[in-house]
Short mmCIF file of all heavy atoms in Angstrom, two decimals:
data_model
loop_
_atom_site.label_atom_id
_atom_site.label_comp_id
_atom_site.label_asym_id
_atom_site.label_seq_id
_atom_site.Cartn_x
_atom_site.Cartn_y
_atom_site.Cartn_z
N GLU A 53 -60.03 -21.93 25.81
CA GLU A 53 -61.25 -21.15 26.02
C GLU A 53 -61.51 -21.01 27.46
O GLU A 53 -60.98 -21.72 28.35
CB GLU A 53 -62.39 -21.80 25.34
CG GLU A 53 -62.65 -23.25 25.74
CD GLU A 53 -63.72 -23.91 25.01
OE1 GLU A 53 -64.37 -23.29 24.22
OE2 GLU A 53 -63.96 -25.15 25.30
N LEU A 54 -62.35 -20.00 27.80
CA LEU A 54 -62.83 -19.82 29.13
C LEU A 54 -63.83 -20.96 29.45
O LEU A 54 -64.69 -21.29 28.62
CB LEU A 54 -63.59 -18.47 29.30
CG LEU A 54 -62.67 -17.22 29.20
CD1 LEU A 54 -63.55 -16.03 28.95
CD2 LEU A 54 -61.81 -17.07 30.38
N ILE A 55 -63.64 -21.56 30.65
CA ILE A 55 -64.44 -22.69 31.03
C ILE A 55 -65.31 -22.26 32.23
O ILE A 55 -64.83 -21.64 33.18
CB ILE A 55 -63.55 -23.88 31.45
CG1 ILE A 55 -62.73 -24.34 30.25
CG2 ILE A 55 -64.37 -25.04 32.01
CD1 ILE A 55 -61.67 -25.34 30.52
N GLY A 56 -66.58 -22.65 32.19
CA GLY A 56 -67.45 -22.34 33.27
C GLY A 56 -68.91 -22.32 32.93
O GLY A 56 -69.28 -21.84 31.88
N GLN A 57 -69.75 -22.89 33.84
CA GLN A 57 -71.23 -22.91 33.67
C GLN A 57 -71.90 -22.26 34.88
O GLN A 57 -73.10 -22.38 34.98
CB GLN A 57 -71.66 -24.32 33.46
CG GLN A 57 -71.20 -24.99 32.22
CD GLN A 57 -71.77 -24.33 31.00
OE1 GLN A 57 -72.92 -23.98 30.99
NE2 GLN A 57 -70.91 -24.12 30.01
N SER A 58 -71.16 -21.59 35.76
CA SER A 58 -71.74 -20.94 36.89
C SER A 58 -72.51 -19.74 36.41
O SER A 58 -72.25 -19.15 35.38
CB SER A 58 -70.64 -20.52 37.89
OG SER A 58 -69.75 -19.65 37.22
N PRO A 59 -73.45 -19.24 37.21
CA PRO A 59 -74.25 -18.09 36.76
C PRO A 59 -73.41 -16.86 36.43
O PRO A 59 -73.68 -16.19 35.42
CB PRO A 59 -75.14 -17.80 37.98
CG PRO A 59 -75.30 -19.16 38.66
CD PRO A 59 -74.00 -19.82 38.41
N VAL A 60 -72.35 -16.56 37.24
CA VAL A 60 -71.52 -15.42 36.97
C VAL A 60 -70.73 -15.57 35.73
O VAL A 60 -70.56 -14.60 34.91
CB VAL A 60 -70.52 -15.07 38.11
CG1 VAL A 60 -71.30 -14.60 39.36
CG2 VAL A 60 -69.73 -16.29 38.51
N MET A 61 -70.29 -16.79 35.36
CA MET A 61 -69.48 -17.02 34.16
C MET A 61 -70.44 -17.01 32.94
O MET A 61 -70.11 -16.51 31.83
CB MET A 61 -68.78 -18.31 34.20
CG MET A 61 -67.46 -18.20 34.86
SD MET A 61 -66.34 -16.92 34.16
CE MET A 61 -65.95 -17.61 32.58
N LEU A 62 -71.68 -17.55 33.06
CA LEU A 62 -72.64 -17.48 31.94
C LEU A 62 -72.93 -16.06 31.65
O LEU A 62 -73.09 -15.68 30.46
CB LEU A 62 -73.86 -18.24 32.33
CG LEU A 62 -73.72 -19.80 32.39
CD1 LEU A 62 -75.00 -20.48 32.85
CD2 LEU A 62 -73.28 -20.40 31.02
N LYS A 63 -73.15 -15.25 32.64
CA LYS A 63 -73.44 -13.82 32.43
C LYS A 63 -72.25 -13.14 31.71
O LYS A 63 -72.43 -12.36 30.79
CB LYS A 63 -73.72 -13.11 33.75
CG LYS A 63 -74.08 -11.63 33.57
CD LYS A 63 -74.42 -11.01 34.89
CE LYS A 63 -74.77 -9.54 34.72
NZ LYS A 63 -75.15 -8.88 36.02
N PHE A 64 -70.98 -13.45 32.18
CA PHE A 64 -69.79 -12.87 31.58
C PHE A 64 -69.74 -13.28 30.12
O PHE A 64 -69.45 -12.43 29.25
CB PHE A 64 -68.56 -13.31 32.40
CG PHE A 64 -67.26 -12.79 31.71
CD1 PHE A 64 -66.78 -11.51 32.07
CD2 PHE A 64 -66.57 -13.58 30.82
CE1 PHE A 64 -65.63 -11.03 31.48
CE2 PHE A 64 -65.39 -13.09 30.23
CZ PHE A 64 -64.93 -11.83 30.59
N GLN A 65 -69.87 -14.55 29.84
CA GLN A 65 -69.79 -15.05 28.48
C GLN A 65 -70.84 -14.45 27.60
O GLN A 65 -70.58 -14.26 26.41
CB GLN A 65 -69.85 -16.57 28.48
CG GLN A 65 -68.64 -17.24 29.08
CD GLN A 65 -68.81 -18.76 29.38
OE1 GLN A 65 -69.97 -19.25 29.46
NE2 GLN A 65 -67.76 -19.44 29.70
N GLU A 66 -72.07 -14.22 28.10
CA GLU A 66 -73.11 -13.56 27.34
C GLU A 66 -72.69 -12.14 26.91
O GLU A 66 -72.84 -11.79 25.74
CB GLU A 66 -74.38 -13.50 28.12
CG GLU A 66 -75.53 -12.89 27.36
CD GLU A 66 -76.79 -12.70 28.22
OE1 GLU A 66 -76.77 -13.03 29.41
OE2 GLU A 66 -77.75 -12.05 27.73
N LEU A 67 -72.13 -11.40 27.91
CA LEU A 67 -71.69 -10.07 27.60
C LEU A 67 -70.59 -10.07 26.56
O LEU A 67 -70.53 -9.24 25.66
CB LEU A 67 -71.20 -9.38 28.89
CG LEU A 67 -72.32 -8.82 29.82
CD1 LEU A 67 -71.68 -8.40 31.14
CD2 LEU A 67 -73.09 -7.68 29.14
N LEU A 68 -69.65 -11.00 26.75
CA LEU A 68 -68.48 -11.11 25.85
C LEU A 68 -68.96 -11.38 24.41
O LEU A 68 -68.46 -10.78 23.44
CB LEU A 68 -67.51 -12.18 26.35
CG LEU A 68 -66.19 -12.33 25.63
CD1 LEU A 68 -65.08 -12.72 26.55
CD2 LEU A 68 -66.25 -13.32 24.47
N ALA A 69 -69.95 -12.31 24.30
CA ALA A 69 -70.44 -12.66 22.95
C ALA A 69 -71.15 -11.49 22.29
O ALA A 69 -71.12 -11.36 21.08
CB ALA A 69 -71.39 -13.87 23.05
N ARG A 70 -71.78 -10.66 23.08
CA ARG A 70 -72.41 -9.46 22.50
C ARG A 70 -71.44 -8.35 22.08
O ARG A 70 -71.67 -7.65 21.09
CB ARG A 70 -73.43 -8.94 23.49
CG ARG A 70 -74.65 -9.86 23.71
CD ARG A 70 -75.51 -9.48 24.89
NE ARG A 70 -76.12 -8.15 24.68
CZ ARG A 70 -76.90 -7.57 25.64
NH1 ARG A 70 -77.18 -8.18 26.78
NH2 ARG A 70 -77.45 -6.39 25.39
N VAL A 71 -70.34 -8.25 22.82
CA VAL A 71 -69.43 -7.16 22.61
C VAL A 71 -68.43 -7.56 21.47
O VAL A 71 -67.99 -6.73 20.67
CB VAL A 71 -68.65 -6.84 23.87
CG1 VAL A 71 -67.45 -5.86 23.52
CG2 VAL A 71 -69.56 -6.22 24.90
N ALA A 72 -68.05 -8.86 21.43
CA ALA A 72 -66.96 -9.31 20.46
C ALA A 72 -67.21 -8.89 19.01
O ALA A 72 -66.24 -8.37 18.39
CB ALA A 72 -66.88 -10.82 20.55
#
Side-chain angles (χ1 to χ4, degrees):
E53 59 185 355
L54 291 165
I55 297 170
Q57 293 295 319
S58 60
V60 289
M61 276 305 290
L62 290 175
K63 182 178 180 181
F64 178 86
Q65 290 166 346
E66 179 189 357
L67 282 171
L68 187 146
R70 291 169 63 181
V71 173

